[in-house]
Amino acid sequence: YGRPRLHLVTYPGVIGGWLRARLDCRVPFGDDAFFEATVRCVRRVRSGSDSEPNQITLWTSGQRLACRASKDLPGGSRVELAQEIPADTSPSGDGIHWEVDVTCQRPGIDFHKTWEVPVFFPPDDA
């Protein structure tokens, strides 16, 4: 799949607003391909200094997205994501992380990639 790129159209995502992004891959998935995208807010907590953090999902939303030809990668594919972020969720920081997880089931090797994305409260002047 090459190195897929997630471009944040809204930077950062906004609590009570939107997170918009587009995923570009170097591989042509075809118009019949559908991607499953999950946006989630998690809290990562360590129970000891040497342990892996436990992850608690605070909020999650999934959607099925159609694939089309990429405008930026000739011969590649593009998927566009628009996710509303509820006003009662928490911003990035202090153990809170926002992730975009994208999968596509294909014959052979399946596609799966997760990106951490910034999500914050809107500016006071918004």
Side-chain angles (χ1 to χ4, degrees):
Y1 298 109
R3 185 175 205 160
R5 296 183 291 183
L6 185 74
H7 304 275
L8 295 180
V9 177
T10 54
Y11 188 84
V14 178
I15 301 286
W18 290 87
L19 172 69
R20 295 182 196 276
R22 68 180 186 270
L23 167 66
D24 286 302
C25 295
R26 295 190 183 279
V27 175
F29 281 88
D31 292 338
D32 63 336
F34 285 92
F35 286 70
E36 300 293 330
T38 303
V39 177
R40 65 180 157 256
C41 176
V42 298
R43 178 183 305 277
R44 295 186 189 139
V45 180
R46 287 192 187 274
S47 58
S49 61
D50 293 336
S51 68
E52 289 290 320
N54 291 322
Q55 186 162 289
I56 302 162
T57 300
L58 303 175
W59 180 86
T60 188
S61 180
Q63 52 188 285
R64 189 172 193 211
L65 304 170
C67 180
R68 61 178 157 252
S70 173
K71 296 176 185 173
D72 297 331
L73 294 172
S77 300
R78 171 170 286 179
V79 177
E80 295 182 358
L81 166 78
Q83 177 63 59
E84 190 169 11
I85 305 295
D88 62 349
T89 55
S90 299
S92 300
D94 294 327
I96 303 292
H97 301 268
W98 284 83
E99 301 173 338
V100 174
D101 185 79
V102 181
T103 61
C104 183
Q105 305 295 318
R106 301 302 290 169
I109 300 173
D110 295 332
F111 177 88
H112 183 216
K113 181 77 174 154
T114 303
W115 290 269
E116 188 167 326
V117 296
V119 174
F120 295 106
F121 288 113
D124 290 336
D125 58 350

